[in-house]
């Protein structure tokens, strides 16, 4: 088994190779290793990680939380090497804004959500089909909700299988290829929309019963209403999956598929970054740390590459 110093070196090398700057981690995590060595232990425990995080007694609580977050990231990596490793739970030293852990949707959850959405509303109205098709499109493309809602008819090229996203976040536009099955679903929706809403004042692709484009808040409310009805979320006021988690799920599943098939992830990651509309590839790298299985697969791939080079 690797000693902690060597494991830290490999961890920092892995994260740096994935595009993370790791400036603070390079400064503080060697102090964690020295602390653990003084305790005569060879693995991280939650108790010792917290004890180390609050060691600088005069520091602000935000710095304590930052140190524990760094220790937690290192512990996630170590857990794949040493099963004795404890990963400190998030929130032990809460301070400031923390990125919420996304819900990764299972295929059955998506299927139930779309079925229940289609079953809402009155017969002969386009609203249920609009939201069901919208949610389905989000799940298979990772589009931002606003990007999908802003699509006009001219942006949806079903002959070429391309969506044109115009001046989205960061005022960037891009082309998004879509699968043939997605083309079929969108074509079916468009035929039904034109039948039920033959006269529309605006060229929006997704419309409601009044012929207008759905608003972001209205789409989120519809998702919450249906998700609660099928048990995907609890009652109002409780936490649970969000509609934006469709984007996270698409990215994570794409990366998992690449790793499992042996695809050169580092080479193709800029393609996923462009597809998702990220302004920097580093934002796409975040998904690796958001899902423990992805981080472990990345670590395993790194070890394999090192073994082949020796």
């Amino acid at each position: 088994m690797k000693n902690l110093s060597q494991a830290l070196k490999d961890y920092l090398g892995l994260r740096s190779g994935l595009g993370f700057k790791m400036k603070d981690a390079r400064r503080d995590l060697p102090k964690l290793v020295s602390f653990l060595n003084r305790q005569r232990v060879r693995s991280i425990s939650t108790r010792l990680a917290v004890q180390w995080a609050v060691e600088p007694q005069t520091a602000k609580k935000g710095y304590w939380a930052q140190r524990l977050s760094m220790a937690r990231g290192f512990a996630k990596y170590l857990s794949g090497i040493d099963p004795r490793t404890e990963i400190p739970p998030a929130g032990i030293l809460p301070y400031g804004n923390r990125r919420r852990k996304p819900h990764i949707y299972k295929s059955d959850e998506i299927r139930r959500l779309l079925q229940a959405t289609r079953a809402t509303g009155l017969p002969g109205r386009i609203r249920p089909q609009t939201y069901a098709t919208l949610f389905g499109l989000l799940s298979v493309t990772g589009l931002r909700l606003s990007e999908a809602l802003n699509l006009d008819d001219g942006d949806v090229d079903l002959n070429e299988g391309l969506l044109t996203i115009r001046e989205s976040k960061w005022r960037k536009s891009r082309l998004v290829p879509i699968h043939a099955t997605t083309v079929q679903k969108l074509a079916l929706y468009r035929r039904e929309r034109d039948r039920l809403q033959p006269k529309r004042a605006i060229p929006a692709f997704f419309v409601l019963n009044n012929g207008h484009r759905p608003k972001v808040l209205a789409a989120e409310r519809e998702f919450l209403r249906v998700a609660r009805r099928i048990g995907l979320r609890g009652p109002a006021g409780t936490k649970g999956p969000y509609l934006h988690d469709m984007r996270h799920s698409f990215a994570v599943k794409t990366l998992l598929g690449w790793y499992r098939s042996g695809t050169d992830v580092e080479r193709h990651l800029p393609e996923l970054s462009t597809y998702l509309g990220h302004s920097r590839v580093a934002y796409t790298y975040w998904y690796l740390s958001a899902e423990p299985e992805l981080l472990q697969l990345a670590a395993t791939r790194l070890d394999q590459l090192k073994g082949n080079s020796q």
Side-chain angles (χ1 to χ4, degrees), residues 42-267:
R42 300 179 63 184
S43 60
I44 294 179
S45 69
T46 297
R47 179 182 65 82
L48 289 176
V50 173
Q51 185 179 334
W52 170 77
V54 301
E55 196 174 38
Q57 292 295 311
T58 59
K60 295 181 179 180
K61 291 183 179 180
Y63 182 50
W64 289 353
Q66 181 185 17
R67 280 164 63 96
L68 186 60
S69 177
M70 287 186 283
R72 189 168 184 268
F74 183 35
K76 285 182 179 180
Y77 171 80
L78 284 177
S79 65
I81 303 171
D82 182 0
R84 298 173 301 172
T85 302
E86 295 179 6
I87 301 174
I92 294 180
L93 298 176
Y95 183 84
N97 294 323
R98 298 193 309 277
R99 203 163 189 174
R100 180 183 61 86
K101 180 177 174 57
H103 175 81
I104 306 303
Y105 285 96
K106 298 180 177 63
S107 297
D108 181 65
E109 291 175 332
I110 299 294
R111 179 186 57 79
R112 291 192 297 115
L113 177 70
L114 300 188
Q115 287 180 345
T117 304
R118 290 191 187 94
T120 62
L122 298 173
R125 300 295 182 94
I126 194 59
R127 183 179 184 277
Q129 297 302 320
T130 292
Y131 281 126
T133 306
L134 171 66
F135 298 160
L137 181 64
L138 296 178
S139 72
V140 298
T141 61
L143 290 178
R144 299 179 179 96
L145 175 58
S146 59
E147 292 174 341
L149 291 177
N150 286 334
L151 288 170
D152 285 338
D153 277 338
D155 300 324
V156 182
D157 187 339
L158 299 183
N159 292 322
E160 296 295 330
L162 283 175
L163 304 179
T164 300
I165 308 301
R166 302 183 187 277
E167 294 190 6
S168 183
K169 196 173 183 180
W170 320 113
R171 297 188 178 276
K172 295 178 67 175
S173 300
R174 69 189 191 279
L175 295 176
V176 175
I178 53 177
H179 193 269
T181 56
T182 305
V183 170
Q184 293 173 359
K185 295 293 185 181
L186 293 181
L188 181 64
Y189 166 75
R190 188 171 63 181
R191 288 196 297 271
E192 188 69 2
R193 181 205 66 188
D194 290 347
R195 183 180 71 84
L196 297 174
Q197 293 284 345
K199 297 180 180 180
R200 291 176 290 120
I202 58 174
F205 185 79
F206 290 111
V207 298
L208 296 177
N209 298 335
N210 58 8
H212 292 291
R213 194 189 312 268
K215 302 293 186 182
V216 168
L217 289 179
E220 290 175 341
R221 283 197 300 267
E222 178 67 7
F223 164 79
L224 290 175
R225 186 174 71 87
V226 178
R228 288 178 181 131
R229 198 173 78 176
I230 64 174
L232 187 58
R233 282 188 63 108
T238 60
K239 295 181 179 180
Y242 287 85
L243 189 54
H244 190 67
D245 291 335
M246 297 277 193
R247 181 170 168 83
H248 294 283
S249 299
F250 173 82
V252 167
K253 289 177 180 178
T254 298
L255 289 168
L256 283 173
W258 283 353
Y259 273 115
R260 289 167 178 166
S261 65
T263 299
D264 186 341
V265 175
E266 188 169 353
R267 177 183 175 187

